[in-house]
């Protein structure tokens, strides 16, 4: 009797194991997604989820993804990280061990992408973060070597800091810049420092380098100091919920020079919070909805038809992250985690919504360009391209 | 010199907001020896009432201010009746934990309606005058003047009226006062109404000066106002006003003359030193325990 029970147990367990046994013999391709659906940046999570579902639906509507001569439908599992670092890691763990996904897309913000990437790296599963621009996402903090299984669909902060600094020097003819940034957030701090470095290397001077901490609303002391330093341009690499306050207070204190920003400005919320005060200013970001390539135009149209709003940069990058994964699967010719990783690391050219991307073995960061947008009549308008 | 004057003006604006909120902490402490940790969140609710009145009802400034003050006063009195009154005989810690709970409730209740930051429309046409190199905005002037008027009014109520006398009496000795025929519950309700409506006034002015509001905005400001109340001597109304202006001045001036990264670190180190020398705050007096 006991033996029979034991046998039955082993049988059930093996069946269960085979049942969810990795992509190999399964009839579907399982893909995981981790998004900030709740927490402090729900707008990011919502765009992520919309674009992810759209990318998967397109493939399934076409009968599935053709890998090695066979068509597989895609199965998508989306987990919420609740805007928490620990939940991002546990979501990655769950997707890898329980759902047995072939790859993970997300999380988006660097502070969540970094912990999730650690789990993916140690489990040898590909993770592509659409929106995380901090260098540490794809670089191992201990060894400083690039992570083998972690990729992203966007450019990184040192590049963005350089782009904005060059733009200020060349296009705005600024020689004196001031910076105000959130010292408690890694994204803001990183860009601010790279901006300062490039600006000074190219002959400019940073006359004020001021900080605040997350949650502050009164920036009058720092802005008064900035006004006193008399800069030609003020750089604010901060999130869209804080930038309007900084610009309004700066104007009230009599700062009349242009303000500059980074991709954290690129939410439509910025315009509704800022009103006419942000008119005419510039920021660097991933793509320009109005100067789009045919690929991007189709995406923008489909997204707008489906969800009733213009896709923001998170949606576009998420869509591209899935596009990169489809290409890697096709190039690999088999549904296998290691093969997908190897194919992804060598993608020679991918025409995405956010521009042309290229991967070279030895780095998870794509080679791609950035755009500078201007805020004009309450809209984000293409102003210039910036190549790496 | 103009730089210094400009920063002093900035400090006055920030200080008057802190002072108004600190008054709510100090009044409740004075009368109930309890710290109402939900006060920072009532300040946030005040800002949201202002947002609702200005955006959906399209009211001008003065009705918006009054509506926000009245709404939050009503909320404050209700909270006191529902959450704090049953605990009046319970240990102080229970009441304080309840207050923290009420604060979390208010934050999450607001979160249900508005997870996104909201923009408060401009209610007062903002003008900036440059006087001798110092930029003075009409909003700054209104905030500072309104705060002063409200504080003077409060001082008059507490020192010159029967209600004020009853408040002072209750804070002096809670057990004897009811025997003199003072309606203690009514006076406590009035105290809550006044304290929270000052918080709402601060919330309204804050959301006009910094017009992006979110459900968590009350936490940091609430803590800083609480610190102001303690520095001024908690329980003492004039102390709370002074404490608010001191904290505002320290924060702004540290950022003005030292690297701004040191702001909170230096500001709070200074306050710690101050409390070492004046443990009861600037105007606070040691209260001997009556046996």
């Amino acid at each position: 009797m006991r033996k029979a029970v034991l046998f039955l147990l082993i049988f059930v367990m093996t069946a269960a194991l085979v049942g969810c046994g990795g992509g190999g013999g399964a009839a579907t391709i399982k893909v995981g997604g981790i998004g900030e659906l709740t927490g402090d940046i729900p707008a990011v999570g919502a765009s992520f989820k919309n674009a992810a579902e759209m990318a998967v639906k397109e493939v399934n509507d076409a009968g599935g993804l053709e890998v090695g001569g066979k068509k597989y439908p895609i199965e998508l599992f989306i987990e919420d990280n609740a805007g928490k670092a620990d939940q991002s890691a546990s979501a990655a763990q769950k997707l890898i061990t329980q759902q047995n996904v072939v790859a993970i897309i997300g999380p988006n913000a660097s502070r969540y992408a970094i912990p999730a990437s650690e789990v993916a790296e140690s489990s040898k599963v590909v993770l592509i973060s659409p929106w995380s621009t901090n260098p540490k996402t794809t670089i191992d903090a201990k060894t400083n070597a690039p992570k083998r299984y972690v990729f992203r669909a966007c450019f990184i902060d040192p590049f963005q800091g350089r782009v904005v600094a060059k733009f200020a020097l060349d296009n705005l003819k600024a020689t004196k810049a001031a910076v105000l940034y959130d010292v408690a957030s890694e994204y803001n701090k990183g860009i601010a420092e790279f901006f300062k470095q490039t600006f000074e290397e190219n002959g400019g001077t940073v006359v004020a380098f001021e900080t605040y901490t997350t949650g502050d609303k009164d920036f009058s002391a720092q802005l008064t100091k900035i006004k006193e330093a008399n800069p030609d341009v003020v750089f604010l690499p901060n999130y869209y919920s804080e930038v309007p306050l900084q610009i309004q207070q700066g104007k009230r204190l009599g700062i009349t020079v242009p303000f500059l920003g980074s991709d954290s400005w690129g939410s439509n919320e910025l315009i509704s919070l800022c009103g006419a005060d942000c008119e005419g200013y510039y920021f660097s970001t991933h793509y320009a909805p109005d100067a789009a390539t045919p690929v991007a135009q189709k995406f923008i149209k489909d997204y707008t038809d489906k969800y009733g709003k213009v896709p923001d940069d998170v949606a576009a990058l998420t869509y591209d992250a899935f596009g990169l994964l489809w290409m890697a699967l096709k190039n690999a010719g088999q549904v296998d985690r290691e093969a997908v990783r190897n194919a992804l690391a060598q993608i020679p050219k991918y025409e995405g919504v956010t521009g042309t991307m290229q991967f070279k073995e030895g780095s998870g960061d794509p080679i791609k360009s950035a755009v500078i947008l201007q805020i004009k009549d309450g809209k984000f308008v293409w102003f210039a391209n910036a190549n790496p | 010199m103009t730089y210094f004057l400009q920063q002093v003006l900035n400090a006055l604006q920030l200080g008057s907001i802190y002072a108004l909120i600190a008054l709510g902490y100090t009044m409740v402490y004075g009368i109930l020896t309890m710290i109402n940790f939900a006060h920072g969140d009532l300040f946030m609710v005040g800002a949201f009432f202002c947002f609702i009145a200005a955006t959906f009802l399209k009211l001008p400034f003065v009705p918006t201010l009054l509506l926000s003050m009245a709404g939050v006063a009503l909320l404050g009195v209700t909270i006191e009746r529902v959450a704090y009154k049953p605990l009046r005989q319970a240990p102080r810690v229970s009441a304080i934990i309840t207050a923290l709970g009420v604060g979390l409730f208010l934050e999450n209740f607001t979160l249900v309606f508005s997870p996104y930051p909201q923009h408060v429309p401009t209610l007062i046409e903002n003008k900036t005058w440059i006087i001798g190199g110092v930029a003075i905005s009409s909003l700054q002037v209104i905030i500072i003047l309104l705060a002063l008027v409200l504080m003077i009014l409060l001082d008059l109520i507490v020192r010159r009226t029967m209600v004020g006398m009853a408040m002072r009496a209750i804070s002096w000795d809670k057990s004897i006062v009811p025997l003199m025929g003072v309606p203690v519950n009514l006076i406590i309700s009035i105290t809550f109404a006044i304290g929270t409506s000052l918080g709402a006034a601060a919330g309204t002015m804050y959301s006009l000066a910094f017009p992006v509001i979110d459900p968590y905005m009350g936490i940091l400001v609430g803590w800083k106002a609480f610190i102001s109340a303690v520095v001024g001597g908690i329980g003492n109304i004039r102390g709370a006003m002074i404490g608010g202006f001191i904290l505002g001045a320290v924060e702004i001036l540290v950022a003005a003359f030292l690297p701004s990264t040191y702001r909170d670190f230096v500001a709070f180190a200074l306050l710690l030193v101050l409390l070492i020398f004046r443990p009861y705050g600037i105007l606070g007096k040691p209260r001997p325990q009556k046996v």
Side-chain angles (χ1 to χ4, degrees):
Chain A
M1 183 61 199
R2 196 175 267 178
K3 250 184 195 164
V5 170
L6 198 69
F7 180 78
L8 200 76
L9 210 77
I10 290 173
F11 177 78
V12 168
M13 280 168 77
T14 346
L17 271 178
V18 171
C20 51
T28 63
I29 297 177
K30 294 178 177 175
V31 178
I34 306 173
E36 294 79 353
L37 305 183
T38 57
D40 58 345
I41 43 172
V44 169
S47 292
F48 169 80
K49 187 164 180 276
N50 287 348
E53 282 170 351
M54 201 176 115
V56 169
K57 190 169 179 292
E58 274 174 16
V59 169
N60 286 344
D61 286 350
L65 191 72
E66 193 173 324
V67 179
K70 195 179 157 203
K71 281 207 165 186
Y72 295 88
I74 307 288
E75 212 177 331
L76 177 69
F77 299 91
I78 290 192
E79 290 284 326
D80 178 19
N81 68 8
K84 290 193 181 105
D86 54 338
Q87 285 204 34
S88 304
S90 60
Q93 193 75 50
K94 184 180 169 195
L95 288 168
I96 292 166
T97 54
Q98 288 182 23
Q99 321 292 10
N100 220 341
V101 297
V102 67
I104 296 173
I105 312 287
N108 294 291
S110 295
R111 55 183 183 270
Y112 314 130
I114 294 170
S117 74
E118 299 290 336
V119 175
E121 179 73 6
S122 60
S123 317
K124 300 189 190 311
V125 175
V126 168
L127 181 141
I128 311 174
S129 172
W131 195 57
S132 162
T133 50
N134 192 295
K136 285 180 196 154
T137 307
T138 53
I139 299 281
D140 193 309
K142 282 186 219 102
T143 60
N144 264 335
K147 290 175 187 160
R148 228 180 105 74
Y149 296 89
V150 183
F151 299 84
R152 68 177 104 217
C154 52
F155 50 66
I156 56 173
D157 291 341
F159 171 66
Q160 190 171 196
R162 274 203 303 278
V163 164
V164 183
K166 287 256 179 71
F167 175 78
L169 286 162
D170 300 342
N171 294 51
L172 300 181
K173 306 283 174 229
T175 53
K176 290 180 292 176
V179 184
L180 173 67
Y181 67 96
D182 182 351
V183 75
S185 171
E186 232 162 284
Y187 164 84
N188 312 39
K189 193 163 171 272
I191 296 192
E193 280 161 4
F194 292 118
F195 172 87
K196 183 170 190 260
Q197 198 188 334
T198 315
F199 198 76
E200 289 181 339
E201 275 169 9
N202 289 287
T205 35
V206 173
V207 289
F209 201 63
E210 296 299 316
T211 65
Y212 63 95
T213 39
T214 319
D216 281 358
K217 298 238 161 124
D218 184 294
F219 310 99
S220 57
Q222 293 95 322
L223 288 166
T224 304
K225 231 169 155 178
I226 286 174
K227 190 192 164 209
E228 195 68 10
N230 203 12
D232 300 325
V233 65
V234 182
F235 182 43
L236 305 171
N238 306 315
Y239 284 100
Y240 64 83
S241 52
E242 291 163 335
V243 169
L245 293 175
Q246 292 159 357
I247 291 182
Q248 283 160 355
Q249 286 176 42
K251 285 190 159 177
R252 231 179 275 153
L253 286 167
I255 297 179
T256 49
V257 295
F259 291 89
L260 278 180
S262 51
D263 69 316
S264 49
W265 281 33
S267 169
N268 294 326
E269 296 261 303
L270 178 83
I271 288 176
S272 56
L273 296 176
C274 203
D277 284 323
C278 294
E279 200 58 29
Y281 299 144
Y282 308 90
F283 64 98
S284 65
T285 192
H286 306 272
Y287 93 122
D290 62 326
T293 55
V295 183
Q297 273 166 6
K298 180 178 177 306
F299 166 72
I300 293 166
K301 187 181 175 298
D302 291 351
Y303 190 97
T304 314
D305 287 349
K306 194 159 180 196
Y307 301 110
K309 55 187 166 195
V310 177
D312 55 11
D313 54 348
V314 176
L317 290 167
T318 303
Y319 188 78
D320 277 354
F322 277 92
L324 285 167
L325 179 63
W326 305 156
M327 186 174 230
L329 276 161
K330 277 185 204 155
N331 291 359
Q334 53 176 317
V335 186
D336 174 77
R337 288 172 175 172
E338 191 66 27
V340 168
R341 185 258 154 220
N342 289 335
L344 183 57
Q346 298 164 7
I347 283 183
K349 192 181 177 202
Y350 172 74
E351 290 272 357
V353 173
T354 60
T356 311
M357 287 180 234
Q358 184 191 359
F359 281 98
K360 281 192 177 148
E361 184 66 72
S363 168
D365 307 328
I367 302 165
K368 66 186 289 192
S369 57
V371 291
I372 301 280
L373 300 188
Q374 187 182 24
I375 301 169
K376 226 180 194 174
D377 302 326
K379 281 201 185 88
F380 297 149
V381 181
W382 178 85
F383 189 79
N385 273 356
N387 292 314
Chain B
M1 189 60 200
T2 51
Y3 177 67
F4 180 72
L5 283 178
Q6 182 77 64
Q7 295 287 19
V8 167
L9 200 66
N10 294 340
L12 277 176
Q13 182 188 342
L14 191 62
S16 46
I17 303 258
Y18 286 159
L20 275 183
I21 310 171
L23 285 171
Y25 281 106
T26 230
M27 287 176 74
V28 169
Y29 185 86
I31 206 157
L32 288 178
T33 54
M34 168 205 152
I35 296 158
N36 180 16
F37 277 123
H39 192 63
D41 298 300
L42 284 163
F43 156 81
M44 176 273 293
V45 174
F48 269 87
F49 276 148
C50 161
F51 164 70
I52 291 166
T55 311
F56 300 112
L57 309 179
K58 307 232 180 289
L59 295 177
F61 173 63
V62 175
T64 300
L65 178 73
L66 293 178
L67 191 88
S68 164
M69 286 175 76
V72 173
L74 204 67
L75 186 63
V77 171
T78 316
I79 287 172
E80 195 274 323
R81 278 290 149 97
V82 173
Y84 303 157
K85 197 179 166 212
L87 293 172
R88 218 172 271 165
Q89 305 307 324
R92 282 284 148 263
V93 177
S94 313
I96 290 174
I97 295 299
T98 309
L100 280 174
V102 170
L104 283 172
F105 171 80
L106 291 176
E107 279 162 30
N108 287 291
F109 188 76
T110 318
L111 198 64
V112 171
F113 288 106
S114 134
Y116 298 103
Q118 300 290 346
H119 173 68
V120 180
T122 317
L123 288 178
I124 306 168
E125 195 53 50
N126 191 47
K127 282 201 194 89
T128 305
W129 300 287
I130 310 277
I131 301 173
V134 181
I136 303 173
S137 75
S138 49
L139 210 56
Q140 252 171 341
V141 176
I142 289 172
I143 288 175
I144 297 169
L145 285 184
L146 194 62
L148 287 176
V149 167
L150 286 173
M151 284 188 256
I152 292 168
L153 231 104
L154 177 71
D155 209 60
L156 288 178
I157 291 175
V158 173
R159 280 169 204 275
R160 296 283 160 83
T161 63
M162 285 302 278
V163 172
M165 192 195 273
M167 281 178 190
R168 282 179 290 143
I170 293 174
S171 99
W172 187 253
D173 192 325
K174 213 176 298 158
S175 47
I176 296 295
V177 170
L179 303 179
M180 310 287 190
V182 175
V184 175
N185 285 334
L186 181 69
I187 298 297
I188 289 178
S189 289
I190 292 175
T191 308
F192 263 89
I194 295 176
T196 51
S197 65
L198 289 176
T204 303
M205 291 190 269
Y206 195 81
S207 60
L208 294 182
F210 314 119
V212 175
I213 61 172
D214 63 84
Y216 297 121
M217 65 186 276
I219 302 174
L220 199 66
V221 181
W223 280 112
K224 289 191 171 164
F226 172 57
I227 293 167
S228 308
V230 174
V231 164
I234 194 149
N236 186 305
I237 285 175
R238 287 181 177 173
M241 301 177 194
I242 294 173
F245 283 110
I246 287 181
L247 187 65
V250 169
E251 275 198 354
I252 295 278
L253 295 179
V254 169
F257 295 104
L258 294 173
S260 41
T261 318
Y262 296 167
R263 188 194 61 193
D264 286 359
F265 160 66
V266 176
F268 292 111
L270 279 177
L271 298 178
L272 273 179
V273 172
L274 193 141
L275 283 180
I276 289 173
F277 290 105
R278 300 227 26 131
Y280 295 95
I282 292 166
L283 292 186
K285 290 191 183 69
R287 258 194 220 207
Q289 283 290 327
K290 279 167 275 198
V291 183

